[in-house]
Amino acid sequence: MTCERTAATHKKGCGMSLVADQTIMSIIAEAVSGGQCILFLGAGVHSPPPPEKPEYIYPENERPPMGRAFSESLAGKCSFSQKFPRENAGNLQRVSLCYEIDYQRTKLVDELRKAVDIGKKPSPLLNALARLNFPLIVTTNYDQLFEVALYGAGKRPVKGIYNKDENTPTDDHMDASTDRPFIFKIHGDIDQPESIVITDEDYIQFVLRMSDKDPYNPVPETFRYRFKQWPTLFVGYSLLDYNLRLLFMTLRWRMDKSKTPQTYSVDPYPDPLIFDVWHNTHKYVTFLAQDVWTFIPQLYEKVTGQPMP
Protein backbone atom coordinates (compact mmCIF):
# COMPACT_ATOMS: atom_id res chain seq x y z
CA MET A 1 0.00 0.00 0.00
CA THR A 2 1.33 3.45 -0.91
CA CYS A 3 0.32 7.01 -0.09
CA GLU A 4 0.11 9.61 -2.82
CA ARG A 5 2.08 12.66 -1.64
CA THR A 6 2.79 16.14 -2.93
CA ALA A 7 5.52 18.59 -1.98
CA ALA A 8 3.26 20.59 0.31
CA THR A 9 0.92 18.15 1.95
CA HIS A 10 0.00 14.50 2.24
CA LYS A 11 -3.47 13.13 2.09
CA LYS A 12 -5.17 12.81 5.46
CA GLY A 13 -5.33 9.07 4.91
CA CYS A 14 -1.55 8.98 5.28
CA GLY A 15 -1.76 10.80 8.61
CA MET A 16 0.66 13.45 7.40
CA SER A 17 0.74 17.22 7.14
CA LEU A 18 4.09 18.52 5.97
CA VAL A 19 5.64 21.93 6.36
CA ALA A 20 7.20 23.64 3.35
CA ASP A 21 6.38 27.33 3.68
CA GLN A 22 8.27 30.58 3.80
CA THR A 23 7.91 30.92 7.57
CA ILE A 24 10.03 27.85 8.25
CA MET A 25 12.47 28.83 5.51
CA SER A 26 12.85 32.27 7.09
CA ILE A 27 13.60 30.73 10.51
CA ILE A 28 16.29 28.50 9.01
CA ALA A 29 17.73 31.30 6.89
CA GLU A 30 18.00 33.57 9.93
CA ALA A 31 19.91 30.91 11.87
CA VAL A 32 22.22 30.26 8.90
CA SER A 33 22.80 33.97 8.32
CA GLY A 34 23.79 34.35 11.95
CA GLY A 35 26.19 31.41 11.80
CA GLN A 36 24.15 29.50 14.38
CA CYS A 37 22.95 26.39 12.57
CA ILE A 38 24.54 22.92 12.43
CA LEU A 39 24.55 21.34 8.98
CA PHE A 40 24.12 17.55 8.88
CA LEU A 41 25.17 16.52 5.39
CA GLY A 42 24.18 13.27 3.68
CA ALA A 43 24.79 11.50 0.39
CA GLY A 44 21.65 12.96 -1.20
CA VAL A 45 23.60 16.14 -1.99
CA HIS A 46 25.27 14.06 -4.72
CA SER A 47 21.97 13.32 -6.46
CA PRO A 48 21.56 14.40 -10.10
CA PRO A 49 19.57 17.55 -10.93
CA PRO A 50 15.96 16.72 -11.84
CA PRO A 51 14.75 17.33 -15.42
CA GLU A 52 12.86 20.43 -14.30
CA LYS A 53 16.17 22.04 -13.27
CA PRO A 54 18.00 22.18 -16.63
CA GLU A 55 20.03 25.19 -15.48
CA TYR A 56 22.12 22.91 -13.26
CA ILE A 57 24.61 20.37 -14.57
CA TYR A 58 26.21 17.58 -12.55
CA PRO A 59 27.49 14.79 -14.84
CA GLU A 60 27.22 11.19 -13.66
CA ASN A 61 30.97 10.59 -13.91
CA GLU A 62 31.56 13.44 -11.41
CA ARG A 63 29.01 12.17 -8.86
CA PRO A 64 29.63 9.59 -6.13
CA PRO A 65 27.02 6.83 -6.44
CA MET A 66 24.14 6.58 -4.03
CA GLY A 67 24.58 3.96 -1.31
CA ARG A 68 22.24 1.44 -2.91
CA ALA A 69 23.96 1.63 -6.29
CA PHE A 70 27.37 1.15 -4.68
CA SER A 71 26.05 -1.74 -2.61
CA GLU A 72 24.61 -3.50 -5.65
CA SER A 73 27.91 -3.04 -7.48
CA LEU A 74 29.81 -4.63 -4.59
CA ALA A 75 27.23 -7.39 -4.36
CA GLY A 76 27.93 -8.41 -7.93
CA LYS A 77 31.65 -8.65 -7.21
CA CYS A 78 31.28 -10.95 -4.19
CA SER A 79 28.33 -13.06 -5.47
CA PHE A 80 26.23 -11.80 -2.58
CA SER A 81 22.86 -12.71 -4.11
CA GLN A 82 24.03 -16.23 -4.88
CA LYS A 83 25.27 -16.71 -1.32
CA PHE A 84 22.28 -15.05 0.32
CA PRO A 85 19.38 -15.26 -2.17
CA ARG A 86 16.79 -14.04 0.32
CA GLU A 87 18.69 -10.88 1.28
CA ASN A 88 18.66 -7.39 -0.21
CA ALA A 89 21.69 -6.58 -2.36
CA GLY A 90 21.08 -2.91 -1.54
CA ASN A 91 21.93 -3.42 2.15
CA LEU A 92 25.39 -1.86 2.15
CA GLN A 93 26.30 -2.96 5.67
CA ARG A 94 25.71 -6.62 4.89
CA VAL A 95 27.12 -6.51 1.36
CA SER A 96 30.29 -4.68 2.41
CA LEU A 97 30.84 -7.24 5.18
CA CYS A 98 30.50 -10.04 2.63
CA TYR A 99 32.93 -8.27 0.31
CA GLU A 100 35.41 -7.67 3.14
CA ILE A 101 35.37 -11.35 4.09
CA ASP A 102 36.09 -12.36 0.49
CA TYR A 103 38.67 -9.72 -0.41
CA GLN A 104 39.93 -8.18 2.86
CA ARG A 105 39.48 -4.64 4.17
CA THR A 106 42.08 -3.02 1.91
CA LYS A 107 40.21 -4.03 -1.24
CA LEU A 108 36.92 -2.82 0.20
CA VAL A 109 38.43 0.61 0.87
CA ASP A 110 39.90 0.63 -2.65
CA GLU A 111 36.42 0.05 -4.08
CA LEU A 112 35.04 2.82 -1.89
CA ARG A 113 37.78 5.21 -2.98
CA LYS A 114 37.07 4.54 -6.66
CA ALA A 115 33.39 5.22 -6.04
CA VAL A 116 33.55 8.42 -3.97
CA ASP A 117 36.93 10.01 -4.62
CA ILE A 118 38.66 9.38 -7.94
CA GLY A 119 37.48 11.89 -10.56
CA LYS A 120 34.60 13.19 -8.41
CA LYS A 121 33.72 16.87 -8.05
CA PRO A 122 31.43 18.90 -5.76
CA SER A 123 27.90 19.45 -7.00
CA PRO A 124 26.43 22.95 -7.45
CA LEU A 125 24.54 22.20 -4.22
CA LEU A 126 27.74 21.60 -2.25
CA ASN A 127 29.35 24.72 -3.68
CA ALA A 128 26.31 26.76 -2.62
CA LEU A 129 26.21 25.30 0.90
CA ALA A 130 29.94 25.98 1.27
CA ARG A 131 29.32 29.70 0.69
CA LEU A 132 26.76 29.88 3.49
CA ASN A 133 27.51 30.48 7.17
CA PHE A 134 27.74 27.00 8.65
CA PRO A 135 30.48 26.94 11.32
CA LEU A 136 29.77 23.30 12.24
CA ILE A 137 29.15 20.48 9.76
CA VAL A 138 28.58 16.80 10.51
CA THR A 139 28.65 14.35 7.63
CA THR A 140 28.36 10.61 7.20
CA ASN A 141 29.89 10.95 3.71
CA TYR A 142 33.31 9.38 3.26
CA ASP A 143 34.30 11.66 0.38
CA GLN A 144 36.09 15.01 0.67
CA LEU A 145 33.92 16.94 -1.77
CA PHE A 146 32.50 19.35 0.79
CA GLU A 147 36.01 20.16 1.98
CA VAL A 148 36.93 20.94 -1.65
CA ALA A 149 33.85 23.15 -1.92
CA LEU A 150 34.75 24.99 1.30
CA TYR A 151 38.25 25.74 0.05
CA GLY A 152 36.72 26.89 -3.23
CA ALA A 153 34.56 29.31 -1.25
CA GLY A 154 37.69 30.82 0.30
CA LYS A 155 37.29 29.11 3.67
CA ARG A 156 39.82 27.15 5.72
CA PRO A 157 38.00 24.16 7.19
CA VAL A 158 39.28 22.15 10.13
CA LYS A 159 38.48 18.45 9.87
CA GLY A 160 37.75 15.99 12.64
CA ILE A 161 37.45 12.28 11.87
CA TYR A 162 35.82 9.47 13.84
CA ASN A 163 38.41 7.36 15.64
CA LYS A 164 37.65 3.72 16.41
CA ASP A 165 40.31 3.59 19.13
CA GLU A 166 38.56 3.96 22.47
CA ASN A 167 41.87 4.84 24.17
CA THR A 168 42.59 7.90 22.04
CA PRO A 169 41.22 11.30 23.20
CA THR A 170 39.02 13.03 20.64
CA ASP A 171 40.41 16.10 18.91
CA ASP A 172 38.28 19.23 19.11
CA HIS A 173 38.17 22.68 17.53
CA MET A 174 36.63 25.13 19.96
CA ASP A 175 37.22 28.17 17.72
CA ALA A 176 35.06 27.09 14.78
CA SER A 177 33.71 30.02 12.75
CA THR A 178 31.98 30.59 9.44
CA ASP A 179 35.36 31.32 7.81
CA ARG A 180 37.10 28.42 9.52
CA PRO A 181 34.34 25.82 9.87
CA PHE A 182 34.72 22.54 11.73
CA ILE A 183 33.64 19.53 9.65
CA PHE A 184 33.31 16.25 11.53
CA LYS A 185 33.41 13.03 9.48
CA ILE A 186 31.36 10.90 11.82
CA HIS A 187 31.56 7.73 9.70
CA GLY A 188 35.15 8.23 8.66
CA ASP A 189 37.18 9.74 5.84
CA ILE A 190 38.42 8.01 2.70
CA ASP A 191 42.01 9.13 3.41
CA GLN A 192 41.94 7.33 6.76
CA PRO A 193 40.81 3.77 5.96
CA GLU A 194 40.91 2.77 9.62
CA SER A 195 38.16 5.33 10.35
CA ILE A 196 35.58 4.03 7.88
CA VAL A 197 32.23 2.84 9.28
CA ILE A 198 30.54 0.74 6.60
CA THR A 199 30.02 -2.92 7.60
CA ASP A 200 27.65 -4.39 10.16
CA GLU A 201 30.58 -4.94 12.51
CA ASP A 202 31.74 -1.34 12.08
CA TYR A 203 28.30 -0.03 13.06
CA ILE A 204 28.17 -2.20 16.18
CA GLN A 205 31.52 -0.85 17.33
CA PHE A 206 30.46 2.69 16.42
CA VAL A 207 27.29 2.51 18.54
CA LEU A 208 29.24 1.11 21.48
CA ARG A 209 31.80 3.91 21.22
CA MET A 210 29.12 6.59 21.34
CA SER A 211 28.65 5.89 25.05
CA ASP A 212 32.30 6.62 25.91
CA LYS A 213 32.94 9.42 28.40
CA ASP A 214 35.15 12.48 27.86
CA PRO A 215 37.80 12.84 26.64
CA TYR A 216 37.17 9.62 24.67
CA ASN A 217 33.64 10.28 23.44
CA PRO A 218 34.10 10.10 19.64
CA VAL A 219 31.94 13.19 18.99
CA PRO A 220 33.88 16.41 19.71
CA GLU A 221 32.56 18.37 22.67
CA THR A 222 32.01 21.44 20.47
CA PHE A 223 29.30 19.59 18.56
CA ARG A 224 27.69 18.06 21.63
CA TYR A 225 27.55 21.50 23.25
CA ARG A 226 26.11 23.26 20.20
CA PHE A 227 23.51 20.53 19.62
CA LYS A 228 21.94 21.86 22.82
CA GLN A 229 21.94 25.46 21.58
CA TRP A 230 21.56 25.63 17.80
CA PRO A 231 19.06 24.13 15.36
CA THR A 232 20.24 21.27 13.16
CA LEU A 233 19.51 21.02 9.44
CA PHE A 234 19.54 17.55 7.84
CA VAL A 235 20.17 17.75 4.09
CA GLY A 236 20.63 14.75 1.81
CA TYR A 237 19.12 12.17 4.17
CA SER A 238 16.03 10.07 4.61
CA LEU A 239 15.13 9.36 8.21
CA LEU A 240 13.81 6.02 7.01
CA ASP A 241 17.46 4.98 7.44
CA TYR A 242 17.55 3.16 10.79
CA ASN A 243 21.23 3.95 11.35
CA LEU A 244 20.60 7.65 10.90
CA ARG A 245 17.76 7.63 13.40
CA LEU A 246 19.92 5.70 15.85
CA LEU A 247 22.72 8.22 15.39
CA PHE A 248 20.32 11.13 15.88
CA MET A 249 18.90 9.65 19.08
CA THR A 250 22.36 8.86 20.41
CA LEU A 251 23.47 12.45 19.89
CA ARG A 252 20.33 13.72 21.61
CA TRP A 253 20.36 11.13 24.41
CA ARG A 254 19.43 12.51 27.83
CA MET A 255 18.82 16.00 26.47
CA ASP A 256 15.83 17.77 28.00
CA LYS A 257 13.32 18.03 25.13
CA SER A 258 12.06 21.34 26.47
CA LYS A 259 15.55 22.78 25.99
CA THR A 260 16.46 21.08 22.70
CA PRO A 261 16.57 23.32 19.61
CA GLN A 262 14.51 22.39 16.57
CA THR A 263 15.75 19.92 13.99
CA TYR A 264 14.77 20.26 10.33
CA SER A 265 14.90 17.47 7.77
CA VAL A 266 14.67 18.16 4.04
CA ASP A 267 12.75 15.22 2.61
CA PRO A 268 10.06 15.43 -0.08
CA TYR A 269 8.45 12.11 0.89
CA PRO A 270 9.19 11.08 4.49
CA ASP A 271 8.06 7.64 5.53
CA PRO A 272 4.54 7.93 7.02
CA LEU A 273 5.34 5.90 10.14
CA ILE A 274 8.55 7.83 10.83
CA PHE A 275 6.67 11.07 10.25
CA ASP A 276 3.95 10.09 12.71
CA VAL A 277 6.44 9.17 15.45
CA TRP A 278 9.15 11.80 14.89
CA HIS A 279 7.04 14.76 13.77
CA ASN A 280 3.56 14.30 15.21
CA THR A 281 4.17 12.36 18.42
CA HIS A 282 7.61 13.23 19.76
CA LYS A 283 8.24 16.50 17.87
CA TYR A 284 11.84 15.48 17.20
CA VAL A 285 11.91 16.83 13.66
CA THR A 286 10.15 19.31 11.41
CA PHE A 287 10.05 17.91 7.89
CA LEU A 288 10.44 20.23 4.93
CA ALA A 289 8.69 18.69 1.97
CA GLN A 290 11.20 19.56 -0.72
CA ASP A 291 13.98 17.81 -2.59
CA VAL A 292 17.53 19.15 -2.23
CA TRP A 293 17.53 20.72 -5.69
CA THR A 294 14.55 22.85 -4.66
CA PHE A 295 15.42 23.55 -1.04
CA ILE A 296 19.10 24.54 -1.30
CA PRO A 297 18.62 27.12 -4.11
CA GLN A 298 15.76 28.66 -2.12
CA LEU A 299 17.81 28.76 1.08
CA TYR A 300 20.79 30.22 -0.75
CA GLU A 301 18.69 33.02 -2.26
CA LYS A 302 16.95 33.68 1.07
CA VAL A 303 20.30 34.09 2.85
CA THR A 304 22.33 35.89 0.18
CA GLY A 305 19.69 37.71 -1.83
CA GLN A 306 21.22 36.19 -4.98
CA PRO A 307 20.23 33.21 -7.11
CA MET A 308 22.28 30.06 -6.56
CA PRO A 309 25.04 29.92 -9.19
Side-chain angles (χ1 to χ4, degrees):
M1 183 177 70
T2 60
C3 295
E4 182 181 353
R5 290 164 280 184
T6 70
T9 183
H10 287 217
K11 290 184 176 180
K12 290 183 179 179
C14 299
M16 304 180 72
S17 177
L18 297 182
V19 177
D21 60 25
Q22 292 306 308
T23 300
I24 297 296
M25 180 65 78
S26 295
I27 292 171
I28 297 172
E30 182 178 1
V32 173
S33 297
Q36 295 186 342
C37 183
I38 300 171
L39 176 63
F40 221 114
L41 198 63
V45 293
H46 303 318
S47 62
E52 61 269 22
K53 298 281 185 178
E55 66 271 30
Y56 298 117
I57 299 173
Y58 194 30
E60 183 175 2
N61 64 308
E62 296 180 1
R63 303 192 309 259
M66 295 294 101
R68 183 177 186 85
F70 178 62
S71 180
E72 291 173 347
S73 174
L74 277 185
K77 296 174 181 178
C78 66
S79 302
F80 181 83
S81 295
Q82 287 73 31
K83 296 173 183 174
F84 309 102
R86 296 184 179 181
E87 294 202 31
N88 180 6
N91 185 334
L92 182 56
Q93 291 175 224
R94 290 279 290 164
V95 171
S96 59
L97 182 61
C98 174
Y99 188 93
E100 180 183 62
I101 290 171
D102 282 0
Y103 297 106
Q104 303 300 316
R105 185 74 171 195
T106 301
K107 190 79 165 72
L108 174 61
V109 174
D110 287 344
E111 291 287 347
L112 188 59
R113 185 183 304 280
K114 286 189 289 185
V116 307
D117 185 54
I118 298 174
K120 308 308 178 184
K121 297 180 180 179
S123 68
L125 300 179
L126 281 183
N127 288 327
L129 288 171
R131 296 186 185 99
L132 299 181
N133 296 333
F134 291 105
L136 296 176
I137 304 103
V138 185
T139 182
T140 52
N141 298 343
Y142 312 113
D143 62 79
Q144 299 178 346
L145 297 179
F146 195 54
E147 294 94 300
V148 172
L150 287 167
Y151 280 114
K155 299 182 180 182
R156 299 174 299 140
V158 174
K159 182 161 59 177
I161 301 172
Y162 167 71
N163 192 331
K164 293 182 180 180
D165 183 1
E166 70 232 18
N167 297 312
T168 301
T170 299
D171 291 334
D172 207 342
H173 177 52
M174 305 296 290
D175 299 322
S177 66
T178 55
D179 292 326
R180 194 163 173 74
F182 188 11
I183 178 169
F184 180 54
K185 312 293 284 291
I186 199 166
H187 280 171
D189 181 277
I190 193 60
D191 274 354
Q192 292 190 16
E194 70 280 5
S195 71
I196 298 295
V197 178
I198 188 169
T199 69
D200 260 345
E201 294 299 305
D202 293 335
Y203 275 94
I204 291 172
Q205 183 181 12
F206 174 81
V207 171
L208 291 174
R209 281 236 53 212
M210 292 293 284
S211 64
D212 288 350
K213 306 300 182 182
D214 286 328
Y216 304 105
N217 188 298
V219 179
E221 184 180 356
T222 296
F223 283 92
R224 288 182 283 124
Y225 176 69
R226 291 302 185 188
F227 276 130
K228 300 175 184 178
Q229 294 188 320
W230 295 349
T232 301
L233 176 63
F234 280 86
V235 178
Y237 288 106
S238 168
L239 286 174
L240 183 59
D241 184 334
Y242 173 83
N243 290 310
L244 179 61
R245 298 199 311 278
L246 179 60
L247 173 59
F248 176 89
M249 293 303 295
T250 303
L251 292 172
R252 292 293 180 97
W253 189 243
R254 294 194 177 93
M255 283 190 189
D256 186 331
K257 287 198 294 185
S258 67
K259 299 178 181 179
T260 303
Q262 187 55 266
T263 296
Y264 303 95
S265 178
V266 179
D267 185 347
Y269 305 119
D271 176 79
L273 289 177
I274 302 305
F275 180 88
D276 192 35
V277 173
W278 283 56
H279 180 100
N280 290 336
T281 304
H282 294 301
K283 313 296 184 186
Y284 292 146
V285 173
T286 296
F287 286 96
L288 289 99
Q290 295 177 321
D291 64 71
V292 290
W293 286 95
T294 299
F295 173 79
I296 294 176
Q298 288 186 5
L299 177 64
Y300 186 89
E301 186 164 1
K302 191 80 172 176
V303 172
T304 69
Q306 301 293 327
M308 189 181 100

